[in-house]
């Protein structure tokens, strides 16, 4: 009986740990952290700030390499474009907010 209780407690602690870990990763997707991302940063530097992206894609053509990565948090999406491994553009989106128009 004691053995079953120990297994249950171990499983419960592991579950709480995983839930906390998942909650912390979404907490990195903020306006404050978005503002830390600068043109010319590497993907590794961006990951150090935002964590692993929820989605990414890349293309390599001759000497050109392009990639896009997306991070999702609570009601927020961050998209970052890379060329040859460096940030060239970034976008912070909230549902219901229109993306800024060029020139505005």
């Amino acid at each position: 009986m004691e053995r079953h209780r120990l297994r249950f407690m171990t499983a419960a602690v592991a579950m709480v740990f995983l839930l906390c870990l998942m909650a912390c990763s979404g907490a990195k997707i903020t306006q404050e952290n978005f503002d830390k991302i600068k043109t010319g940063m590497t993907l590794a530097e961006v990951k150090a700030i935002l964590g692993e992206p929820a989605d990414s894609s890349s293309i390599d053509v001759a000497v050109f390499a392009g990639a896009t990565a997306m991070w999702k948090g609570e009601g927020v999406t961050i998209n970052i474009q890379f060329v040859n491994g460096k940030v060239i553009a970034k976008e912070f989106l909230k549902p219901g907010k229109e993306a800024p128009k060029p020139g505005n």
Side-chain angles (χ1 to χ4, degrees):
M1 184 69 153
E2 187 66 29
R3 192 178 210 174
H4 292 287
R5 184 175 176 193
L6 182 60
R7 283 185 185 172
F8 175 77
M9 292 299 287
T10 302
V13 169
M15 183 75 75
V16 169
F17 176 75
L18 288 173
L19 289 173
C20 289
L21 187 61
M22 288 171 40
C24 290
S25 67
K28 290 183 169 191
I29 314 306
T30 63
Q31 180 72 51
E32 182 180 66
N33 282 342
F34 174 79
D35 293 340
K36 293 177 184 176
I37 309 300
K38 304 296 180 200
T39 301
M41 292 178 86
T42 65
L43 178 58
E45 291 171 319
V46 174
K47 284 181 179 180
I49 296 169
L50 299 177
E52 288 294 322
D55 190 27
S56 63
S57 61
S58 62
I59 185 169
D60 294 321
V61 180
V63 295
F64 172 79
T68 300
M70 177 179 61
W71 287 261
K72 288 188 173 225
E74 284 189 36
V76 176
T77 300
I78 295 175
N79 293 312
I80 301 180
Q81 291 78 42
F82 299 85
V83 171
N84 293 333
K86 306 282 184 175
V87 172
I88 61 157
K90 63 182 189 171
E91 179 179 48
F92 186 88
L93 299 170
K94 284 186 173 182
K97 290 216 171 198
E98 195 173 305
K101 294 184 171 78
N104 288 338

